[in-house]
Amino acid sequence: MALLQVEDLRVRYGEVAALNGVSLHANKGEFVTLIGANGAGKSTLLRTISGLSRGYRGTISYQGSRIDRLPVHNIVSHGLVHVPERRSLFPDMTVAENLKLGAYRLKDKSSFPSKMAQVLDYFPKLEERKYQLAGSMSGGEQQMCAIARGLMLGPELLLLDEPTLGLSPLLVGMLGKIMKTLHGQGLTIILVEQNAHLALSLADRAYVLERGAIALEGTGKELASSDSVRKAYLGL
Ligand SMILES: Nc1ncnc2c1ncn2[C@@H]1O[C@H](COP(=O)(O)OP(=O)(O)OP(=O)(O)O)[C@@H](O)[C@H]1O
Ligand SMILES: [Mg+2]
């Protein structure tokens, strides 16, 4: 059984059809990536999985149970954590305070410092800036902080929406390494990326989304060598 199973998912915003029957899955421990043009429906798919948007048809199951009618906090408590496209940090709070908000699931609040230390271990840059206001950090640092806050929730499945958007090549490389490490530790990841090079090099399996439907599916390697993917998404 797949960890996450999406079947025939359809989402509409008023008259706009955003997803026209998407089926996909992620196995436990798998690194899955989703690439596609602007407006293809990638963010909508992640938002619907995490309960921020609702489908009018189709099902989403996690560990065999339907989650598509559950409230967001309930989905999070299943271990499904979404780091959305816009970073949505609290700009007037420090990095540490933002992380603390992410830690609300911790049953034993006294474990917050050790949990934070563990998460900041992935992001040495952030460690240096623990007491800086989140809103005053660079875009890249804020992105790191948003992911760190997601990790404070103790995810089993991490949904990342364009984490490298606007980052320098150096930070993109750093983030790539962090995602690889997290995956290596057994975390299941679904990564939405414009940076198809990076995404396909990291992914076990990949999907191409076009106008709200899955156009292609394969291993990261297969898609990276597919002619249509190379033309449309790798600029080759
Ligand atoms: N809140 C909304 N209201 C109306 N239409 C929306 C809304 N959110 C998204 N859409 C539309 O749904 C479609 C899919 O949008 P979505 O944000 O999921 O695409 P995306 O693949 O994430 O694009 P990008 O790569 O630009 O982030 C687009 O046509 C978009 O205009
Ligand atoms: Mg998007």
Side-chain angles (χ1 to χ4, degrees):
M1 190 201 349
L3 182 65
L4 178 81
Q5 185 89 46
V6 174
E7 293 283 357
D8 193 31
L9 188 63
R10 292 162 195 262
V11 179
R12 220 179 348 231
Y13 298 106
E15 293 296 292
V16 180
L19 296 180
N20 298 312
V22 168
S23 299
L24 58 73
H25 70 276
N27 295 316
K28 194 164 170 49
E30 209 175 17
F31 196 134
V32 174
T33 190
L34 194 65
I35 58 176
N38 292 121
K42 305 179 300 295
S43 298
T44 300
L45 180 57
L46 293 194
R47 289 175 53 83
T48 311
I49 292 171
S50 66
L52 296 168
S53 295
R54 296 287 169 191
Y56 65 91
R57 217 162 108 184
T59 61
I60 304 169
S61 307
Y62 189 71
Q63 289 176 325
S65 308
R66 292 275 297 269
I67 57 166
D68 47 86
R69 289 290 171 265
L70 298 181
V72 175
H73 68 268
N74 211 317
I75 294 176
V76 171
S77 68
H78 279 72
L80 222 142
V81 171
H82 178 196
V83 180
E85 205 168 8
R86 273 167 281 281
R87 300 172 190 109
S88 68
L89 296 172
F90 293 94
D92 297 329
M93 292 183 163
T94 65
V95 168
E97 286 163 342
N98 269 281
L99 295 183
K100 196 159 189 176
L101 287 173
Y104 72 87
R105 273 187 72 198
L106 287 180
K107 288 192 185 70
D108 172 13
K109 298 296 174 206
S110 68
S111 65
F112 169 69
S114 62
K115 182 76 189 165
M116 180 163 80
Q118 184 197 337
V119 165
L120 286 179
D121 221 29
Y122 296 113
F123 304 96
K125 279 228 144 150
L126 224 50
E127 168 74 49
E128 295 164 15
R129 290 170 187 272
K130 253 193 293 198
Y131 303 112
Q132 185 172 334
L133 295 184
S136 69
M137 294 198 301
S138 76
E141 290 161 354
Q142 290 190 33
Q143 190 59 302
M144 304 276 180
C145 188
I147 298 173
R149 189 177 55 179
L151 293 177
M152 292 298 293
L153 288 161
E156 277 178 22
L157 171 60
L158 186 63
L159 307 171
L160 293 171
D161 198 346
E162 302 204 32
T164 71
L165 195 69
L167 302 197
S168 70
L170 191 72
L171 278 190
V172 170
M174 195 187 281
L175 203 51
K177 278 201 192 110
I178 292 169
M179 288 189 274
K180 214 170 181 162
T181 305
L182 292 169
H183 176 228
Q185 292 171 349
L187 188 62
T188 310
I189 298 177
I190 299 182
L191 169 68
V192 161
E193 260 300 334
Q194 290 283 336
N195 186 335
H197 268 291
L198 176 77
L200 294 177
S201 73
L202 289 169
D204 298 316
R205 229 153 36 73
Y207 295 90
V208 176
L209 195 64
E210 281 176 7
R211 289 182 302 276
I214 302 290
L216 275 173
E217 181 198 345
T219 64
K221 273 208 183 92
E222 278 163 2
L223 290 206
S225 58
S226 125
D227 275 344
S228 61
V229 170
R230 285 162 62 89
K231 271 199 207 115
Y233 303 106
L234 297 172
L236 300 170

